């Protein structure tokens, strides 16, 4: 039971939430506890980026279904294939069988229209109202909606958009629970044969309860960045490529931890390299970065600077430092 929740923790702000009540706040700099929290938040965003470019082909999902039942159940519910990866990215690892009285999932329109068979329908909204028990006695709930819109349903890899409407997932077991709420949108759009533009405007809020202690954290993203395929778009452009957020034109993120709100900037230095073609495996295919780094910078009202750096050294392998010192 706890293993499932620990797996979910890697996708969210659990480090943030667990640390919230344990140390006094230091408003002028980021503490080690702050750094752990922010690193977990950034990992959640990287998971969603992985879901954006993950392999939503029928063959890839069949491989995953041999490991767990999520994709098989999602197919039975009639969910778009891209939704399967998004559910994984936000920590949903199990769906009950279709027809279960404890779960209502609807998709409109039905049947789906996906002329280019890229796993993203021309338009689709999935709505969730579920409360059920999964393997190991873990309790789950899903509410709200996720919408997909293909930029051009006659052209694979033209891009698409995702919108979250109060989408909430919750998993609980043994007096512990993790709840996530997503609002807003992100999109990837083809600019030309060699460049895609990614835009993110969404809020990720997580609440964790351990026995009688409840903590909440929230991260708001507002950024545009570029993705350049390694293969210049001549085959599957999402197999491998580089993500760039220019230091001279950084993204912004508003981070709230308990009653503290901080405005951050962030950028890639060097550019992040995505390598699904080499790194993909059934249990870790959403973190298929093999090099590059993200830096999040907080400058306090007093002018003190704190820099959190997440640097990849191989497929899904990364280190986290605060002002050059390891974050434990």
């Amino acid at each position: 039971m706890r293993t499932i929740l620990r797996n979910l923790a890697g996708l969210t702000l659990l480090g943030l939430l667990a640390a919230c009540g344990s140390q006094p706040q230091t408003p002028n700099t980021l503490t080690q506890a702050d750094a752990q929290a922010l690193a977990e938040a950034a990992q959640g965003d990287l998971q969603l980026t992985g879901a954006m470019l993950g392999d939503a082909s029928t063959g890839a999902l069949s491989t995953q279904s041999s490991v767990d039942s999520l994709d098989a159940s999602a197919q039975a519910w009639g969910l778009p294939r891209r939704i399967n990866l998004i559910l994984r990215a936000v920590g949903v690892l199990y769906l009950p069988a279709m027809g279960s009285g404890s779960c209502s999932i609807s998709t409109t329109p039905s049947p789906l229209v996906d002329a280019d068979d890229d796993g993203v329908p021309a338009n689709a909204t999935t709505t969730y109202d579920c409360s059920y028990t999964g393997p190991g006695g873990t309790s789950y709930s899903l509410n709200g909606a996720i919408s997909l819109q293909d930029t051009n349903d006659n052209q694979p890899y033209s891009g698409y958009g995702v919108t979250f409407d109060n989408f909430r997932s919750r998993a609980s077991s043994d007096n512990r629970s993790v709840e996530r709420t997503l609002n807003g949108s992100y999109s990837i759009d083809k600019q030309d044969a060699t460049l895609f533009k990614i835009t993110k405007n969404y809020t990720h809020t997580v609440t964790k309860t351990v026995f009688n202690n409840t903590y909440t954290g929230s991260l708001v993203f507002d950024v545009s960045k570029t993705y350049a395929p390694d293969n210049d778009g001549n085959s599957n452009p999402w197999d491998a490529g580089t993500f760039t957020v220019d230091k001279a034109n950084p993204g912004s993120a508003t981070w709230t931890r308990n009653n503290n709100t901080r405005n951050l900037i962030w950028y890639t230095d060097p550019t992040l390299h995505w390598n699904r073609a080499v790194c993909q495996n059934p249990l870790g295919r959403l973190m298929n970065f093999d090099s590059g780094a993200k830096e999040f910078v907080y400058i306090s009202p007093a002018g003190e600077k704190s820099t959190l750096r997440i640097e990849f050294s191989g497929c899904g392998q990364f280190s986290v430092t605060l002002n050059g010192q390891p974050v434990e």
Side-chain angles (χ1 to χ4, degrees):
M1 294 181 283
R2 292 187 180 182
T3 298
I4 294 174
L5 291 177
R6 284 198 298 270
N7 290 338
L8 298 180
L11 310 179
T12 64
L13 311 177
L14 284 182
L16 179 158
L17 303 170
C20 285
S22 60
Q23 297 187 20
Q25 295 296 311
T26 305
N28 288 337
T29 59
L30 297 181
T31 64
Q32 278 280 320
D34 291 328
Q36 182 187 19
L38 187 54
E40 293 288 353
Q43 289 175 59
D45 180 62
L46 287 167
Q47 290 280 353
L48 281 172
T49 299
M52 179 185 294
L53 297 182
D55 191 348
S57 67
T58 302
L61 298 186
S62 296
T63 299
Q64 181 67 46
S65 293
S66 67
V67 178
D68 60 48
S69 63
L70 176 63
D71 292 309
S73 296
Q75 182 179 9
W77 281 103
L79 300 184
R81 295 195 302 271
R82 182 62 57 183
I83 289 288
N84 302 19
L85 298 181
I86 295 171
L87 292 178
R88 290 188 185 282
V90 298
V92 179
L93 303 180
Y94 174 80
L95 287 175
M98 186 178 180
S100 169
S102 60
C103 194
S104 172
I105 301 176
S106 62
T107 301
T108 56
S110 183
L112 295 171
V113 177
D114 185 6
D116 56 10
D117 194 32
D118 61 356
V120 179
N123 283 283
T125 296
T126 60
T127 303
Y128 306 83
D129 184 8
C130 298
S131 179
Y132 55 92
T133 300
T138 300
S139 298
Y140 291 87
S141 65
L142 296 173
N143 299 95
I146 304 175
S147 297
L148 292 174
Q149 183 174 27
D150 201 330
T151 301
N152 182 347
D153 197 37
N154 294 307
Q155 182 183 348
Y157 313 117
S158 61
Y160 66 93
V162 180
T163 300
F164 299 100
D165 183 5
N166 287 320
F167 178 75
R168 182 179 64 87
S169 66
R170 186 175 188 272
S172 62
S173 179
D174 291 345
N175 297 307
R176 300 167 182 262
S177 68
V178 182
E179 181 176 299
R180 308 161 190 76
T181 303
L182 289 163
N183 274 294
S185 63
Y186 65 72
S187 63
I188 178 169
D189 291 296
K190 189 173 185 178
Q191 303 296 290
D192 54 43
T194 61
L195 193 67
F196 289 80
K197 179 181 178 181
I198 295 174
T199 303
K200 294 184 177 182
N201 300 100
Y202 75 93
T203 302
H204 187 181
T205 301
V206 177
T207 298
K208 179 187 177 183
T209 298
V210 179
F211 293 96
N212 294 323
N213 297 316
T214 299
Y215 312 110
T216 296
S218 182
L219 190 61
V220 181
F221 282 95
D222 182 7
V223 65
S224 293
K225 54 186 175 182
T226 59
Y227 171 74
D230 288 354
N231 58 21
D232 294 330
N234 293 324
S235 56
N236 185 337
W238 298 350
D239 276 345
T242 55
F243 288 94
T244 303
V245 179
D246 195 334
K247 189 173 183 178
N249 186 28
S252 65
T254 302
W255 179 45
T256 301
R257 176 185 172 195
N258 280 357
N259 295 321
N260 258 349
T261 297
R262 295 181 172 105
N263 294 317
L264 312 175
I265 62 169
W266 64 279
Y267 46 82
T268 55
D269 181 26
T271 56
L272 274 177
H273 188 250
W274 167 258
N275 201 344
R276 186 185 81 186
V278 171
C279 299
Q280 183 164 322
N281 62 79
L283 291 178
R285 63 184 179 186
L286 296 181
M287 287 282 275
N288 297 323
F289 303 94
D290 60 6
S291 64
K294 271 189 176 182
E295 288 194 346
F296 289 81
V297 177
Y298 170 64
I299 299 177
S300 75
E304 297 177 85
K305 181 179 179 180
S306 300
T307 301
L308 179 92
R309 181 176 176 86
I310 302 175
E311 184 169 6
F312 284 85
S313 57
C315 292
Q317 303 298 313
F318 60 89
S319 61
V320 183
T321 57
L322 175 63
N323 300 326
Q325 298 301 311
V327 174
E328 302 297 336

